[in-house]
């Protein structure tokens, strides 16, 4: 399945048949079927272990893989293995260089992905053979602006955080200036204190349960992520589910964070989650606006700028391997 070229017999036959068609006639049913089933090239990239299958989809407006097929390819035993499939799409709005669409590993479509957009920017640059530059990328969360730097890092202007409970969305009542800061969420008879933030997708950031978060906080080395992650992800307080960030503060400019991602479960990193974590930490008075977020896959540098309220995320995006897949099973 993972050939690094498209020299398969089905593609060759399709190309030959296309050349034999008369210019004024439409391709035959057999030729169209061959073209529709032609192998699709992909490249795999990872950002701090958060890994994605990348597909150049800029030649058509519809995604080349179905949600079902994307989920199958994300399977780590029977597919390529990834946290999601990302498509570089034609620009949808004036001023965009290209657009981003993606499927999570469970086949759901998120608004955006922070680590994913760094990988996408690196992928498009590699495909086009361009030197480091900035891009304007349209997403379901709005315009996002990644910039490839000469040192190999990718800095992304993630925009402004959203706090209005109905826009996160969450049903937790606002606790401070229209924001959900240290809101109470009951789980199995215990009360978790959470701060709700949207970075274009919903996040539930917690530093621990009631009293715990102010008395030493979480110890992520022993924390049962797979127990509490799903319960908060699908909690009724978050009608569209949420990404959940469990955070341990080490200093004013350094935190550790484990994430349970909506539609993907435990992952090694989450870019929007790191951004939401710093925003929440600042609102709760725990950390500074410029902070390193240490994830299981490595560190991200996050800054929530006071000057313009925008969040800047900086981290790596690296090529892993390439190949080709059948668009159908």
């Amino acid at each position: 399945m993972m050939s690094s070229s498209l020299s398969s017999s089905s593609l060759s036959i399709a190309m030959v048949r296309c050349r034999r068609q008369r210019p004024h006639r439409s391709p035959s049913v057999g030729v169209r079927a061959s073209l529709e089933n032609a192998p699709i090239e992909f490249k795999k990239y990872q950002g701090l272990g958060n890994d994605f299958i990348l597909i150049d989809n800029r030649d058509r407006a519809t995604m080349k893989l179905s949600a079902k097929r994307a989920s199958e390819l994300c399977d780590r035993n029977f597919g390529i293995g990834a946290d999601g499939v990302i498509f570089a799409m034609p620009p949808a709005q004036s001023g965009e260089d290209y657009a981003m669409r993606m499927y999570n590993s469970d086949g759901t479509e998120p608004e955006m992905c922070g680590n994913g957009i760094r990988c996408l920017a690196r992928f498009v640059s590699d495909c086009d053979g361009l030197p480091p530059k900035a891009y304007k990328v349209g997403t379901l969360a709005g315009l996002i602006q990644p910039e490839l730097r000469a040192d190999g890092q990718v800095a992304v202007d993630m925009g402004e955080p959203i706090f209005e409970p109905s826009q996160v969305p969450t049903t937790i009542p606002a606790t401070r200036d229209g924001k959900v800061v240290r809101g109470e969420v009951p789980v199995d008879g215990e009360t978790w204190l959470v701060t709700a933030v949207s970075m274009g997708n919903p996040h539930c950031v917690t530093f621990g349960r009631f009293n715990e978060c102010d008395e030493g906080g979480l110890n992520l080395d022993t924390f049962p992520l797979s127990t509490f992650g799903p319960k908060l992800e699908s909690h009724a307080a978050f009608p569209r589910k949420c990404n959940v960030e469990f955070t341990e503060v080490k200093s004013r400019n350094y935190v550790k964070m484990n994430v349970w991602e909506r539609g993907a479960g435990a992952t090694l990193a989450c870019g929007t989650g790191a951004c939401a974590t710093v925003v929440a930490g600042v609102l709760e008075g725990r950390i500074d606006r410029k902070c390193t977020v240490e994830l299981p896959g490595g560190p991200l540098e996050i800054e929530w700028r006071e000057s313009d309220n925008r969040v800047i995320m900086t981290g790596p995006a690296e090529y892993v391997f390439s190949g080709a897949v059948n668009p159908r099973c």
Side-chain angles (χ1 to χ4, degrees):
M1 183 176 71
M2 295 190 190
S3 167
S4 60
S5 69
L6 291 182
S7 58
S8 70
S9 59
S10 62
L11 182 56
S12 299
I13 291 170
M15 293 173 67
V16 170
R17 287 179 178 169
C18 284
R19 285 196 292 270
R20 289 177 179 172
Q21 295 298 319
R22 294 177 182 177
H24 64 279
R25 296 178 62 184
S26 299
S28 67
V29 173
V31 172
R32 287 199 300 270
S34 294
L35 289 171
E36 289 172 358
N37 287 285
I40 295 174
E41 289 185 313
F42 74 88
K43 292 184 179 179
K44 184 172 177 179
Y45 284 73
Q46 61 88 16
L48 301 181
N50 203 189
D51 55 344
F52 305 95
I53 299 164
L54 280 294
I55 294 174
D56 192 346
N57 211 120
R58 290 175 291 174
D59 59 340
R60 69 176 73 171
T62 56
M63 290 184 281
K64 294 180 179 179
L65 296 177
S66 67
K68 179 177 182 293
R69 184 61 173 143
S71 181
E72 291 169 347
L73 293 175
C74 288
D75 191 285
R76 297 191 183 277
N77 294 307
F78 297 100
I80 296 167
D83 292 319
V85 179
I86 299 175
F87 304 84
M89 304 293 294
Q93 303 290 336
S94 175
E96 295 176 357
D97 293 305
Y98 53 89
M100 171 186 182
R101 297 283 295 278
M102 76 171 289
Y103 291 122
N104 287 321
S105 58
D106 68 351
T108 57
E109 184 175 5
E111 298 86 351
M112 212 276 292
C113 173
N115 283 318
I117 201 167
R118 293 200 320 275
C119 290
L120 177 62
R122 175 70 62 192
F123 167 69
V124 170
S125 178
D126 290 347
C127 287
D128 296 346
L130 297 175
K133 60 172 290 187
Y135 292 102
K136 293 182 178 180
V137 184
T139 76
L140 297 182
L143 187 70
I144 304 294
Q145 301 181 66
E147 179 182 0
L148 280 76
R149 295 183 173 176
D151 63 0
Q153 297 286 94
V154 183
V156 185
D157 181 345
M158 300 290 287
E160 299 184 44
I162 298 168
F163 303 110
E164 170 62 39
S166 64
Q167 295 183 43
V168 172
T170 180
T171 60
I172 306 171
T175 59
R176 183 199 306 169
D177 302 325
K179 306 177 182 69
V180 177
V181 181
R182 293 169 63 97
E184 297 185 1
V185 176
V187 176
D188 294 344
E190 298 180 302
T191 300
W192 287 82
L193 297 184
V194 308
T195 293
V197 181
S198 172
M199 293 301 307
N201 53 356
H203 291 272
C204 166
V205 182
T206 181
F207 297 88
R209 284 154 285 206
F210 188 78
N211 291 329
E212 174 187 47
C213 61
D214 297 321
E215 297 178 1
L218 295 172
N219 180 353
L220 295 186
D221 291 335
T222 58
F223 182 73
L225 178 64
S226 61
T227 297
F228 292 103
K231 292 179 180 180
L232 284 169
E233 176 202 9
S234 58
H235 197 281
F238 294 90
R240 288 168 54 190
K241 298 188 176 182
C242 64
N243 303 282
V244 190
E245 288 77 34
F246 299 93
T247 309
E248 179 181 355
V249 177
K250 308 300 284 188
S251 71
R252 295 286 305 180
N253 56 15
Y254 178 77
V255 301
K256 294 175 67 178
M257 185 266 279
N258 286 353
V259 61
W260 186 270
E261 289 199 54
R262 180 184 59 165
T267 63
L268 295 178
C270 177
T272 55
C275 294
T277 293
V278 171
V279 170
V282 171
L283 290 177
E284 294 195 24
R286 300 178 185 277
I287 59 175
D288 297 331
R289 285 179 171 265
K290 193 170 185 178
C291 185
T292 298
V293 180
E294 185 77 37
L295 299 119
L300 286 172
E301 302 299 326
I302 308 296
E303 181 180 7
W304 183 20
R305 295 193 306 219
E306 191 167 11
S307 60
D308 58 7
N309 199 40
R310 303 182 77 84
V311 181
I312 308 301
M313 170 189 65
T314 303
E318 299 177 351
Y319 169 78
V320 182
F321 63 84
S322 59
V325 296
N326 191 316
R328 294 179 174 84
C329 298

